[in-house]
Amino acid sequence: MSDVAGRARTPFLLRLSMVLAALGALLSLALFLHAGPYTLVVFMFLAQPLLLLAVALFAVQVLKDLRRERLL
Amino acid sequence: MSLPPITNSLLAAGPEADLGLPPPHGWIGTADDWARGLGIAFVVLALAILAVSWGRLRRAGLTPGLKELLVIPLVVLPPAIVFFGYSYGIERSKSIGSCGSCHVMKPYLADLQNPDSSTLAATHYKNRYIQEHHCYTCHTDYGMFGTVRAKIAGLGHVARNLSGRYSLPLKIAHPYPNSRCLACHAESQKFRKSEGHPKEDLPKLFSGETSCIDCHGPAHPTVTREASR
């Protein structure tokens, strides 16, 4: 299957959730590697909301799938 | 103000550094070490699974197996990363290296470690009256919300340092409360029997009418210009 076809079949919310989770994880890594006031602030106000948003978007996508398949 | 070399080496070493001997770690490490190690492990695991999943998505689209795999980096690992991030980050933010990582704090750290200094902070530091987290111990209220208030104030410090909205000499935001001194000193015999603290004056000290700093200050040197970068 081509890349374009693969992307087309992948829900946008899921892809967005993956990107946000990766960004949140990378920003968290900065804190673990170099703990300081700035990395802590970035972790609290950027990384944590990104990870939370990633979880929420994944949950929305799962609910959508369940409704589409009439399991909910 | 020129800094003694020892301070520069401390700051270069980062927030982990302190001049004293490293605290005992035991063979298994401290809770901090574990929080950091597990945090890094979970972040790397999440990134690896996300990278593999992204590749599979592009090649074969979304399969039931991939959906199940994505539960790990999108549901299971984020709360764990956040938990260990706070465990490690909040604890490390109490170190003097963390307070000293802002440039404006360098002279205060230099004074802390200056053996010739007679400021209250230096006296406490060089005599190891406080074992660790020296800045944090004296600048945080006791009680349930002491830490919360200190962290909120810390956010303000970061914002002001970042924006440069501060003026020298730095001044404490609120009058220094005696309760922070008395939490350690009030019950000590040296304090109770001191001629400088007659019994009739104790109520004034406990109520805050008389400030400890009035007689025992200055707590820090007066810094009127920033240390050279």
Side-chain angles (χ1 to χ4, degrees):
Chain A
M1 182 182 288
S2 71
D3 282 1
V4 176
R7 276 200 294 273
R9 279 182 46 189
T10 311
F12 172 72
L13 280 184
L14 188 62
R15 276 185 285 144
L16 185 61
S17 170
M18 290 172 72
V19 170
L20 294 181
L23 274 175
L26 279 172
L27 292 174
S28 303
L29 190 60
L31 173 72
F32 290 120
L33 294 179
H34 181 82
Y38 291 120
T39 47
L40 181 60
V41 168
V42 167
F43 171 77
M44 286 168 70
F45 293 102
L46 269 178
Q48 185 180 222
L50 285 174
L51 289 170
L52 188 68
L53 199 58
V55 174
L57 290 178
F58 185 69
V60 168
Q61 185 57 50
V62 169
L63 283 175
K64 270 183 161 181
D65 286 351
L66 289 174
R67 281 197 184 137
R68 196 182 60 237
E69 293 172 20
R70 297 179 187 283
L71 294 170
L72 203 72
Chain B
M1 183 181 192
S2 63
L3 303 177
I6 204 162
T7 301
N8 291 331
S9 65
L10 169 85
L11 294 171
E16 302 279 340
D18 196 349
L19 288 182
L21 289 170
H25 273 62
W27 65 271
I28 201 168
T30 62
D32 264 12
D33 295 337
W34 277 89
R36 181 173 189 251
L38 286 171
I40 291 173
F42 286 152
V43 165
V44 170
L45 182 63
L47 289 173
I49 295 175
L50 284 170
V52 169
S53 304
W54 192 265
R56 278 201 208 169
L57 272 175
R58 289 170 70 94
R59 281 195 308 274
L62 190 59
T63 59
L66 195 54
K67 277 184 188 173
E68 288 170 13
L69 182 65
L70 280 171
V71 168
I72 297 172
L74 296 180
V75 178
V76 178
L77 291 179
I81 292 170
V82 169
F83 173 78
F84 287 115
Y86 273 109
S87 304
Y88 179 66
I90 295 289
E91 197 56 29
R92 293 310 307 163
S93 71
K94 297 175 183 174
S95 67
I96 60 167
S98 181
C99 301
S101 63
C102 288
H103 190 71
V104 71
M105 284 289 129
K106 275 186 177 184
Y108 296 93
L109 257 70
D111 171 70
L112 210 62
Q113 295 147 16
N114 180 359
D116 299 326
S117 173
S118 58
T119 61
L120 206 54
T123 305
H124 279 76
Y125 184 84
K126 65 188 174 191
N127 290 306
R128 309 301 285 185
Y129 292 153
I130 301 165
Q131 292 299 307
E132 54 180 358
H133 306 153
H134 304 82
C135 310
Y136 182 83
T137 302
C138 290
H139 286 280
T140 307
D141 280 325
Y142 293 89
M144 194 171 162
F145 294 107
T147 299
V148 177
R149 278 198 291 266
K151 292 297 151 206
I152 291 171
L155 284 177
H157 296 163
V158 170
R160 275 190 284 277
N161 189 63
L162 200 60
S163 64
R165 282 188 296 107
Y166 60 83
S167 55
L168 295 175
L170 295 179
K171 288 177 184 166
I172 195 162
H174 306 285
Y176 193 84
N178 288 353
S179 59
R180 292 181 191 167
C181 309
L182 294 170
C184 292
H185 291 282
E187 298 301 325
S188 80
Q189 291 301 307
K190 193 177 172 187
F191 172 84
R192 293 275 183 179
K193 291 181 176 172
S194 165
E195 290 178 3
H197 307 134
K199 273 187 182 172
E200 56 272 21
D201 283 353
L202 288 183
K204 284 183 183 174
L205 274 177
F206 289 132
S207 68
E209 195 180 328
T210 307
S211 171
C212 303
I213 305 289
D214 287 345
C215 298
H216 295 285
H220 295 286
T222 304
V223 180
T224 51
R225 60 189 179 91
E226 286 196 39
S228 55
R229 286 174 192 269

